[in-house]
Amino acid sequence: MWLTTLVSILYFGVAAYLFVHTAQSPAAATTPDIASGYFQACNCILFGLLGLCCVHWPAIASLFHGRSKDAGSPAGEKETVAVVVETNPDGGGKKGGEDDASAPADVVVDPKPAVKRQVTYLTNLKTFLTFIVVTHHTVCLFTGCLGNIQTMIMNPNDPANGDPTGLYDGTVKPRTFLTGASWFLTINQGYFMAAFFLISGYFCPKSLDRKGFRAFVADKIVRLGGPLVLWSAAFRPLVT
């Protein structure tokens, strides 16, 4: 649980950074942007508290259990526990002076561990969606929406590329990549992330039942919160 503790503590550091960064936002910042910054900082605090509670829940539960136990019993009263040992459960029904040690012992065979069933069609679907996500962001780089990397020929009459399709100003512009790429991006945005959430939600109940709430949340804090903290604390300040 040390990794969960580390990620949870880093959440508080990210929250402090977001509070300071939002408080020092320029005057041109809009009210929704400022509210969003404070909201994200509060979310980080809640995630950090949730992670620490999952790690230290046995101590927290024993503390509350001890208080409720003390409140329910009168002061100074000690509980008495009676232990009854039954030496001969069958009432001495052995014949011929047979010793209990000579009786054959029951052999308990551990059941075989359950084999984790792999849903092949969902595995194939996740592989396809992963390929689509990588391809989607690669196509974004070559449509002029990120970093001005593009494959289309620029029209000298529109150097700012304000109307790359030519639908509004009526100019004829060569389109070697943009038409197909726009269709590809528009279609993908309608299903691929929703499909990932659907597959994740399908497996969540079984994982929650198998691990329990505490271990389930601690695992998600590390697997999902770890990359988020790494981006917020290390990479985001470098690019903003």
Side-chain angles (χ1 to χ4, degrees):
M1 288 289 185
W2 67 269
L3 191 56
T4 307
T5 304
L6 177 61
V7 174
S8 301
I9 294 175
L10 288 177
Y11 262 118
F12 293 105
V14 174
Y17 166 77
L18 290 175
F19 275 122
V20 174
H21 180 73
T22 305
Q24 296 178 352
S25 58
T30 61
T31 302
D33 293 337
I34 297 175
S36 177
Y38 285 122
F39 181 75
Q40 293 178 11
C42 293
N43 279 339
C44 289
I45 293 177
L46 292 178
F47 287 145
L49 291 175
L50 181 61
L52 292 179
C53 287
C54 290
V55 173
H56 301 286
W57 180 250
I60 297 173
S62 62
L63 178 63
F64 283 100
H65 181 69
R67 288 183 178 179
S68 61
K69 197 173 183 180
D70 294 340
S73 59
E77 182 179 348
K78 296 182 179 180
E79 295 183 357
T80 304
V81 179
V83 179
V84 179
V85 180
E86 188 176 358
T87 57
N88 194 359
D90 58 356
K94 298 288 182 180
K95 296 181 180 180
E98 293 180 353
D99 191 7
D100 292 341
S102 62
D106 295 334
V107 179
V108 179
V109 179
D110 295 334
K112 295 182 179 180
V115 180
K116 187 177 180 181
R117 186 171 64 93
Q118 183 177 6
V119 186
T120 306
Y121 72 94
L122 288 181
T123 302
N124 295 336
L125 180 59
K126 289 189 293 184
T127 304
F128 170 75
L129 291 175
T130 302
F131 169 77
I132 289 296
V133 170
V134 175
T135 308
H136 180 92
H137 290 89
T138 304
V139 171
C140 282
L141 293 175
F142 291 96
T143 53
C145 58
L146 290 177
N148 294 325
I149 303 176
Q150 47 196 337
T151 59
M152 58 176 296
I153 300 175
M154 301 297 295
N155 191 330
N157 297 325
D158 185 16
N161 197 25
D163 182 24
T165 60
L167 295 178
Y168 298 101
D169 58 8
T171 58
V172 179
K173 301 180 180 181
R175 292 171 290 172
T176 60
F177 189 76
L178 183 61
T179 302
S182 299
W183 175 86
F184 179 75
L185 297 178
T186 303
I187 295 298
N188 287 339
Q189 290 173 348
Y191 75 93
F192 69 143
M193 292 307 298
F196 269 122
F197 282 111
L198 177 64
I199 296 173
S200 178
Y202 176 80
F203 289 106
C204 273
K206 296 180 181 179
S207 179
L208 180 62
D209 294 339
R210 184 178 68 254
K211 297 180 180 179
F213 179 80
R214 175 172 172 256
F216 178 82
V217 174
D219 179 66
K220 296 303 179 184
I221 288 289
V222 173
R223 296 178 61 182
L224 301 180
L228 176 61
V229 168
L230 184 63
W231 157 255
S232 301
F235 296 108
R236 183 178 179 181
L238 297 177
V239 297
T240 55

